[in-house]
């Protein structure tokens, strides 16, 4: 398969791509944040998009009173359904005493036809009594469902973080949550810590401070992906229409921590709480999954998921979840498993490890990634790998995720390019 590489951005600042969903629905635009370092969201004040044909840049959002402490923006994604961009936004009252952090961020949307007008998606309320549908901490790494109606994300709880400072038995454990369209209103406050939201949020993974060794209990849920465009088919032929695949940290028989694949099946209505388990949590307990959510462990491996940070990806029919682990030679490869469990299959058979996140082509034929200082794709069924860019030096190598356009004709990725004695993250395309 032949692709032609072009550099799309040139300005002397960063153009950092999220791990997925950066193309507009018509593939005309790519969204990014302007950080020049992976860890720099708290320092970054603007979201932009660039035209894939002309290179025209449009400014979408800029924070107010940006400092080294925040508020910060980043990790921007495009809705697959319309021209809405969603990104992390630090809490607006960021300061030296209350900087950008895991429990101090939220999801903000911008309609590209109405730039600089933020729409707060997930409601936040950190003052008791808490509000069902609102969370009490920080959301991030937002991903749109296949129909563009729901959003998933990882979550850290501010209330538990503060409680942990006084009680050593309590921890702020990262977990997975989702939101669906339904407005949530919270009590206002003068500090800007609370905000109303256009969506109703709920945690969908159950975590615990002390998982039993050898059990399916987890202490951390993270790096999730929606399963299929419309869910997945169960063994009995019925369909689960909303589900999330995520990584969960378990304790093995030796009490060592490894990550395994988990699935959370999600009901169409996430507003109902189970008896004695309030969605919003309490001042001494974390938020709870809604009634009808089921959590299942899918893989039981010896060493668990391994490799660079990556989000689980699935084929559009939901039949295959892709993740990374070491093969028998210690090389990081892509593997696949059904959301119903069963045999794990190896997808890539490279002589070198994969270096970053993975993405699946819209036709489900290929998985894309960076390896051996090049952009690679591997055919999922034949396992044949293709190097799409020449092998670069470490200094000039592609990095991060390689992201498919919606039509599958273009791949986007980042490189660092030297300009005026500095190196800036630029956006590159591979076009068929």
């Amino acid at each position: 398969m032949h692709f032609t590489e072009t550099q799309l951005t040139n300005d002397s600042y960063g153009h950092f791509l999220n791990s997925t969903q950066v193309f507009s629905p018509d593939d005309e635009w790519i969204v990014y944040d302007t950080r020049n370092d992976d860890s720099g969201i708290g320092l970054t004040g603007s979201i932009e998009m660039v035209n894939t044909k002309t290179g025209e840049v449009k400014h979408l959002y800029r924070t107010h009173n940006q400092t080294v402490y925040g508020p910060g923006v980043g990790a921007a994604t495009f809705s697959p359904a319309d021209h809405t961009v969603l990104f992390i936004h630090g809490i607006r009252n960021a300061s030296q005493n209350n900087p950008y952090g895991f429990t101090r961020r939220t999801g903000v949307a911008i309609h590209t036809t109405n730039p600089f007008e933020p729409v707060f998606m997930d409601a936040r309320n950190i003052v008791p009594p808490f509000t069902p549908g609102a969370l009490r901490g920080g959301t991030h790494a937002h991903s749109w469902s296949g129909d563009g109606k729901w959003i998933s994300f990882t979550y850290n709880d501010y209330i538990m973080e503060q409680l942990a400072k006084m009680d050593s038995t309590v921890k702020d454990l990262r977990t997975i949550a989702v939101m669906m369209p339904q407005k949530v209103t919270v009590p206002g406050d003068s500090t800007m810590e609370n905000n109303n939201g256009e969506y109703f949020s709920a945690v969908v993974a159950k975590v615990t401070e002390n998982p039993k060794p050898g059990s399916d209990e987890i202490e951390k849920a993270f790096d999730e992906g929606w399963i299929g465009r419309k869910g997945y088919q169960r063994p009995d032929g019925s369909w689960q229409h909303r589900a999330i695949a995520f990584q969960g940290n378990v304790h093995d028989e030796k009490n060592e921590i490894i990550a395994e694949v988990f699935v959370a099946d999600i009901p169409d209505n996430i507003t109902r709480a189970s008896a004695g388990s309030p969605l919003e949590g309490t001042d001494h307990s974390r938020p709870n999954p809604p009634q009808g959510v089921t959590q299942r462990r899918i893989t039981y491996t010896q060493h668990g998921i391994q490799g660079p940070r990556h989000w689980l990806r699935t084929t559009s029919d939901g039949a295959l979840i892709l993740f990374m682990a070491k093969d028998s030679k210690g090389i990081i490869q892509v593997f696949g498993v059904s959301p119903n469990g069963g045999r794990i299959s190896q997808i890539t058979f490279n002589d070198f490890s994969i270096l970053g996140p993975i993405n699946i082509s819209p036709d489900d034929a290929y998985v894309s990634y960076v390896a051996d200082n090049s952009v690679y794709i591997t055919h999922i069924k034949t396992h044949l790998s293709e190097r799409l860019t020449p092998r670069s030096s470490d200094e000039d190598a592609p990095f991060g995720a390689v992201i498919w356009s919606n039509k599958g004709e273009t791949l986007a990725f980042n490189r660092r390019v030297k300009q005026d004695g500095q190196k800036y993250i630029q956006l590159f395309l591979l076009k068929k």
Side-chain angles (χ1 to χ4, degrees), residues 31-34 45-49 58-62 73-76 85 87-88:
V31 68
Y32 55 89
D33 63 68
T34 57
S46 57
I47 303 293
E48 300 178 352
M49 65 180 184
K58 286 189 177 180
H59 303 279
L60 296 178
Y61 183 74
R62 191 171 292 113
V73 290
V85 166
F87 51 90
I88 298 169

Side-chain angles (χ1 to χ4, degrees), residues 29-30 36 55 100 117 160 167 197 218 227 242 254 267 270 274 309 311 313 339 343 349 365-366 382 401:
W29 298 89
I30 294 175
N36 204 38
Y100 170 89
E117 295 296 327
M160 300 305 288
D167 184 347
I218 59 174
I227 299 181
R242 299 201 183 275
K254 299 177 182 177
I270 57 170
S274 296
R309 185 181 184 188
W311 287 258
R313 301 291 182 229
R343 186 179 69 88
F349 291 83
Y366 293 91
T382 67

Side-chain angles (χ1 to χ4, degrees), residues 62-75:
R62 191 171 292 113
T63 59
H64 296 288
N65 304 315
Q66 179 66 39
T67 73
V68 294
Y69 305 111
V73 290

Side-chain angles (χ1 to χ4, degrees), residues 289-430:
Q291 181 181 339
V293 171
T294 60
Q295 178 171 308
R296 295 180 291 115
R297 180 173 172 177
I298 302 301
T299 58
Y300 292 82
T301 65
Q302 184 177 357
H303 302 294
I305 292 171
Q306 293 177 297
R309 185 181 184 188
H310 64 284
W311 287 258
L312 303 187
R313 301 291 182 229
T314 74
T315 50
S316 59
D317 61 2
L320 191 66
I321 302 168
L322 297 192
F323 64 96
M324 279 191 265
K326 289 182 179 178
D327 65 12
S328 59
K329 299 176 183 177
I331 298 172
I332 303 298
Q333 309 279 11
V334 178
F335 293 82
V337 68
S338 165
N340 295 307
R343 186 179 69 88
I344 295 172
S345 58
Q346 186 169 337
I347 304 299
T348 63
F349 291 83
N350 299 323
D351 295 328
F352 37 77
S353 289
I354 294 172
L355 301 175
I358 54 177
N359 281 292
I360 299 175
S361 61
D363 62 2
D364 295 331
Y366 293 91
V367 57
S368 61
Y369 51 89
V370 172
D372 195 34
N373 288 2
S374 301
V375 172
Y376 265 86
I377 57 173
T378 298
H379 196 276
I380 292 173
K381 290 185 177 179
T382 67
H383 314 300
L384 294 175
S385 293
E386 295 182 59
R387 189 193 298 264
L388 299 186
T389 63
R391 190 181 190 283
S392 303
S393 67
D394 291 345
E395 193 177 29
D396 300 322
F399 70 93
V402 180
I403 306 153
W404 298 87
S405 64
N406 295 294
K407 298 182 181 71
E409 297 172 350
T410 305
L411 290 161
F413 62 96
N414 282 137
R415 290 186 191 269
R416 291 179 176 89
V417 177
K418 197 168 187 178
Q419 295 169 234
D420 304 322
Q422 299 285 334
K423 294 210 107 179
Y424 297 104
I425 295 172
Q426 302 293 358
L427 202 162
F428 286 75
L429 299 182
L430 286 169

Side-chain angles (χ1 to χ4, degrees), residues 111-319:
H111 300 289
T112 60
T113 55
N114 197 22
F116 303 103
E117 295 296 327
V119 178
F120 287 81
M121 301 292 271
D122 50 292
R124 185 177 193 264
N125 179 14
I126 66 168
V127 181
F130 304 117
T131 308
L135 294 173
R136 313 108 48 102
T139 74
H140 93 298
H142 309 91
S143 294
W144 301 87
S145 62
D147 58 10
K149 294 180 179 179
W150 289 45
I151 297 161
S152 72
F153 49 94
T154 48
Y155 172 71
N156 286 82
D157 192 85
Y158 175 82
I159 303 302
M160 300 305 288
E161 178 191 50
Q162 299 306 303
L163 189 60
K165 294 177 180 179
M166 300 177 288
D167 184 347
S168 61
T169 66
V170 175
K171 297 177 183 177
D172 165 35
L173 303 177
R174 178 163 289 185
T175 188
I176 302 294
V178 300
M179 50 177 143
M180 70 174 193
Q182 181 172 311
K183 290 187 178 182
V184 176
T185 302
V186 305
D189 71 339
S190 60
T191 68
M192 293 190 290
E193 287 282 0
N194 289 357
N195 61 265
N196 298 331
E198 295 298 307
Y199 279 52
F200 187 104
S201 299
V203 165
V204 294
K206 187 173 179 59
V207 291
T208 180
E209 276 85 357
N210 300 294
K212 297 183 183 70
S215 74
D216 294 347
E217 296 175 343
I218 59 174
E219 66 174 12
K220 179 182 178 182
F222 58 105
D223 296 349
E224 87 294 348
W226 287 98
I227 299 181
R229 291 200 183 112
K230 298 179 180 178
Y232 69 94
Q233 193 169 23
R234 301 186 186 96
D236 65 4
S238 63
W239 278 83
Q240 173 63 40
H241 292 293
R242 299 201 183 275
I244 295 287
F246 63 90
Q247 299 185 44
N249 278 354
V250 301
H251 288 218
D252 66 14
E253 297 287 356
K254 299 177 182 177
N255 207 25
E256 294 178 351
I257 299 172
I258 61 172
E260 297 282 9
V261 177
F262 282 76
V263 165
D265 293 333
I266 302 168
D268 290 334
N269 185 348
I270 57 170
T271 66
R272 293 192 291 259
S274 296
S277 300
L279 296 179
E280 67 274 24
T282 70
D283 58 4
H284 60 273
S285 65
R286 59 181 51 88
N288 293 286
Q291 181 181 339
V293 171
T294 60
Q295 178 171 308
R296 295 180 291 115
R297 180 173 172 177
I298 302 301
T299 58
Y300 292 82
T301 65
Q302 184 177 357
H303 302 294
I305 292 171
Q306 293 177 297
R309 185 181 184 188
H310 64 284
W311 287 258
L312 303 187
R313 301 291 182 229
T314 74
T315 50
S316 59
D317 61 2

